[in-house]
Amino acid sequence: MNILAFDTCFAACSVAAAKSLDPRKITADGIISRFEQMERGHAERLVPMIGDVMSAAGLGFGELDRIAVTYGPGSFTGTRISLAAARALAASFAVDVVAVSSLAVMAQQAARSLALASAGVRDEGEGMASLLIAADARRDEVYVQQFQTSGADRLTEPLLLSVYEAAKLGGAAPLVVAGSGAVAVAAAANAAGRRARAHLPGLLPDAVDLCRLAATMQPGGEAIKPLYLRPADAKPQTGKSIERATP
């Protein structure tokens, strides 16, 4: 299966391409990728990075079986950039598109790096910790999604919650929190008497993980829409319009 995957939701732009990826043996081997951290400039970098990765993978756009993209949450501009590019490529080359949350992509990397079974996360009498991906959404809020420890099975949909509400997800069970909001959420959980620890506070989505996820997914029949969990900060001005001249 030939797959092109890309993400621009947060402070990074990443692209990955896999040629003849076997869905039964999903590893990073054979996946060509580029990852650049950036606060701005995603639109300018995405297309050149796609071209670079496709060339390095020896793939033509007409050979793609699937395009994978993140649909949010994230910045308004970043989310729109990825989806617009995916729609344009899909329409131009008649390729199926699959999409997952940016938080689900981060969960893959977090689950691998944590090595949950051997990192002291299992506590006697307290059960197995769950994995929470929490990305700073500012205003003391986080974009958050809860997963089983493998990172594969989601326990909630993506949510926008206060730091203190996020710290309560999953009840009283131990918690491992990863992402830019991890330190704040773990601190709130510990302050409330819940055992929690922060991990990978610099975690960002990586298209390599998105590419691997895409190999196991089936395209849906509905158009992919961006996930905006918060209204846009920019609002149309009111009372500032210039009156139409009377002819």
Side-chain angles (χ1 to χ4, degrees):
M1 181 181 294
N2 299 333
I3 301 173
L4 171 65
F6 45 88
D7 163 80
T8 56
C9 280
F10 290 107
C13 181
S14 63
V15 180
K19 187 173 184 179
S20 302
L21 181 66
D22 186 346
R24 296 167 299 179
K25 296 188 295 184
I26 304 169
T27 69
D29 296 339
I31 299 179
I32 305 298
S33 66
R34 301 289 184 271
F35 180 97
E36 295 182 15
Q37 288 192 237
M38 59 182 71
E39 293 289 341
R40 299 178 180 83
H42 299 72
E44 292 78 12
R45 287 297 299 137
L46 178 60
V47 172
M49 286 175 69
I50 288 174
D52 183 23
V53 166
M54 290 289 286
S55 177
L59 277 172
F61 289 99
E63 299 176 89
L64 289 173
D65 299 302
R66 188 167 296 174
I67 293 171
V69 65
T70 48
Y71 60 78
S75 72
F76 285 89
T77 301
T79 300
R80 288 196 299 269
I81 289 167
S82 280
L83 287 179
R87 289 167 180 163
L89 289 170
S92 298
F93 299 100
V95 184
D96 289 328
V97 179
V98 295
V100 298
S101 79
S102 54
L103 307 178
V105 174
M106 288 191 276
Q108 301 302 302
Q109 184 182 156
R112 287 197 311 274
S113 67
L114 284 168
L116 293 173
S118 60
V121 179
R122 186 185 293 275
D123 297 299
E124 292 299 327
E126 294 186 349
M128 177 66 80
S130 62
L131 172 61
L132 200 67
I133 303 300
D136 183 11
R138 301 181 181 178
R139 307 176 191 173
D140 293 323
E141 294 180 320
V142 287
Y143 297 121
V144 64
Q145 190 169 12
Q146 187 179 13
F147 300 85
Q148 291 185 350
T149 53
S150 66
D153 297 317
R154 64 190 184 191
L155 300 178
T156 70
E157 295 298 320
L159 303 166
L160 175 65
L161 299 176
S162 72
V163 168
Y164 299 100
E165 290 171 329
K168 297 176 183 177
L169 279 178
L175 192 64
V176 177
V177 195
S180 55
V183 173
V185 173
N190 284 314
R194 183 180 190 183
R195 188 175 179 85
R197 67 186 181 99
H199 192 72
L200 297 177
L203 181 64
L204 290 165
D206 191 326
V208 171
D209 293 305
L210 176 57
C211 195
R212 295 165 65 174
L213 279 173
T216 67
M217 298 172 64
Q218 293 299 323
E222 298 181 358
I224 297 169
K225 298 179 180 179
L227 177 64
Y228 298 139
L229 295 178
R230 171 184 285 161
D233 290 327
K235 297 180 180 179
Q237 289 184 328
T238 58
K240 300 292 184 179
S241 59
I242 300 174
E243 293 185 5
R244 184 187 297 273
T246 304

